[in-house]
Amino acid sequence: MPIEKVDKIWMNGDLVDWDDATIHVLTHTLHYGNGVFEGIRAYETDRGPAVFRLTPHIERLFRSAKILYIDIPWSVDDLVAAVLDTVRVNGIPSCYIRPLAYLGYGEMGLNPIPCKVDVSVACWPWGSYLGDEGIAKGVRTMISSWQRHDPNAMPPAAKGCGHYVNSQMAKVQALKSGYDEAILLSPQGHVSECSGENIFVVIDGTIVTPPSSAGALEGITQNAVRRIAEDLGYDYVRGNILRSDLYTADEAFLSGTAAEVVPIRSVDDREIGDPGPITRAVQEVFYEAVRGRRPEYAEWNEYVD
Ligand code: PPE
């Protein structure tokens, strides 16, 4: 999806012009993939832009970094402020926000410890990842022949740059096969997640989503879905699901910052059909909450001004 240029990008403490936010070709992370990032959204509200669940995203960035031996030379509060500054200075009502901590220029070789850790925060206007039609009608998915990471090869709790090679293989396979999105299984054969989203099924009125032990990222949207679902009175559990559970589910949907909350229409050509009532109800509350129209979830909105 194309990037729309805005004015400024935060780099190591300074707001620099967009075109000056460049790095050296010998930047360590570019070669070995050890970096961590976040995807965050700011939504337009009656009180100006509000960043959705900003602090949990920055806290996850630090957890990812800890797992991968990256020592971020800033505090959570510093990077929360950096995100708010970046969104504010660019003056856009809504955007996607990409904080990145990466190993910079100056070292080569597999030991990351001596590397300088650089941090950037960029934002730009970005439409929903799987399209407005996907949000309205649902997406067609396939089970990938690529597996999600083994937790002892690539820790799923870390949102590491290099982890996403696996997602890209699955995504391209799905697109080339005529589907919108891929669902990956864990090495143990359980449903894990989509290329960049958590997955949920509804079985007999209960919402079920895979645990991190099945290779799923601890999604911040997933956690919001949990709260919304429970407040709506639905049963919600984290538990292993099999591919056949996807084929026979009453409803299925996915969640992620870039994608938001999107119904799944079909899995491997088994029709689930139009979005069901539980998916619709969760979606409706989610879109109101991100726009600051749900006082019960007010703590989720971090206003820029
Ligand atoms: N699983 C994966 C693998 C994943 O990448 C994401 C977010 C999620 C689950 C959902 O997490 P959360 O955003 O906290 O609800 N994927 C980010 C990157 C996507 C991209 O294509 O880039 C995102 O949605 O921003």
Side-chain angles (χ1 to χ4, degrees):
M1 283 173 72
I3 297 173
E4 198 178 310
K5 180 173 160 178
V6 297
D7 284 346
K8 301 279 184 190
I9 292 180
W10 188 98
M11 280 186 101
N12 294 331
D14 295 319
L15 285 161
V16 302
D17 287 343
W18 179 278
D19 290 332
D20 294 334
T22 54
I23 55 161
H24 197 278
V25 73
L26 293 180
T27 298
H28 197 277
T29 297
L30 194 57
H31 295 248
Y32 302 125
N34 193 12
V36 293
F37 70 98
E38 272 302 319
I40 313 175
R41 273 189 190 276
Y43 286 90
E44 189 168 2
T45 77
D46 295 340
R47 286 177 50 194
V51 183
F52 186 64
R53 309 205 66 194
L54 173 55
T55 301
H57 275 287
I58 299 298
E59 287 172 346
R60 188 174 65 186
L61 183 77
F62 277 81
R63 285 198 300 277
S64 299
K66 183 175 186 184
I67 292 168
L68 299 179
Y69 294 115
I70 295 173
D71 194 7
I72 297 178
W74 301 92
S75 67
V76 169
D77 288 350
D78 292 336
L79 295 190
V80 164
V83 168
L84 293 173
D85 289 348
T86 308
V87 176
R88 189 182 305 114
V89 76
N90 284 300
I92 35 179
S94 63
C95 57
Y96 183 78
I97 305 159
R98 171 56 59 83
L100 171 70
Y102 58 101
L103 305 178
Y105 169 83
E107 289 282 334
M108 205 46 79
L110 291 179
N111 178 9
I113 304 300
C115 295
K116 174 165 76 85
V117 177
D118 289 324
V119 181
S120 61
V121 180
C123 71
W124 64 91
W126 223 30
S128 59
Y129 208 31
L130 296 166
D132 292 337
E133 195 179 319
I135 290 178
K137 296 194 177 147
V139 290
R140 312 188 76 84
T141 66
M142 65 173 277
I143 310 268
S144 185
S145 65
W146 295 97
Q147 285 180 357
R148 205 46 162 167
H149 303 295
D150 183 307
N152 290 314
M154 295 284 263
K159 198 169 165 61
C161 299
H163 284 53
Y164 283 82
V165 175
N166 171 258
S167 293
Q168 291 175 60
M169 302 302 275
K171 183 78 185 184
V172 172
Q173 182 189 38
L175 294 176
K176 283 186 180 290
S177 309
Y179 299 92
D180 304 308
E181 184 53 293
I183 298 169
L184 291 101
L185 306 181
S186 71
Q188 291 71 35
H190 298 121
V191 174
S192 179
E193 59 179 350
C194 302
S195 70
E197 303 90 14
N198 291 109
I199 189 167
F200 307 79
V201 289
V202 179
I203 301 171
D204 292 335
T206 298
I207 301 171
V208 190
T209 191
S212 52
S213 55
L217 184 73
E218 295 275 350
I220 287 160
T221 322
Q222 179 191 42
N223 175 270
V225 164
R226 175 189 194 136
R227 202 155 138 217
I228 291 168
E230 288 179 344
D231 290 352
L232 287 169
Y234 301 122
D235 291 326
Y236 179 107
V237 296
R238 292 184 79 185
N240 280 323
I241 50 182
L242 300 172
R243 64 193 295 166
S244 49
D245 294 324
L246 297 175
Y247 299 159
T248 60
D250 301 320
E251 301 180 31
F253 60 98
L254 53 85
S255 83
T257 299
E260 304 175 319
V261 178
V262 180
I264 293 175
R265 279 201 76 78
S266 68
V267 181
D268 286 347
D269 302 316
R270 274 68 160 192
E271 292 297 320
I272 298 173
D274 287 335
I278 295 179
T279 306
R280 280 277 174 249
V282 170
Q283 246 190 340
E284 191 183 317
V285 176
F286 173 79
Y287 284 107
E288 288 177 359
V290 296
R291 292 187 170 85
R293 298 195 187 129
R294 282 279 174 163
E296 67 270 41
Y297 305 121
E299 88 257 23
W300 288 349
N301 311 113
E302 186 87 49
Y303 291 92
V304 168
D305 291 311

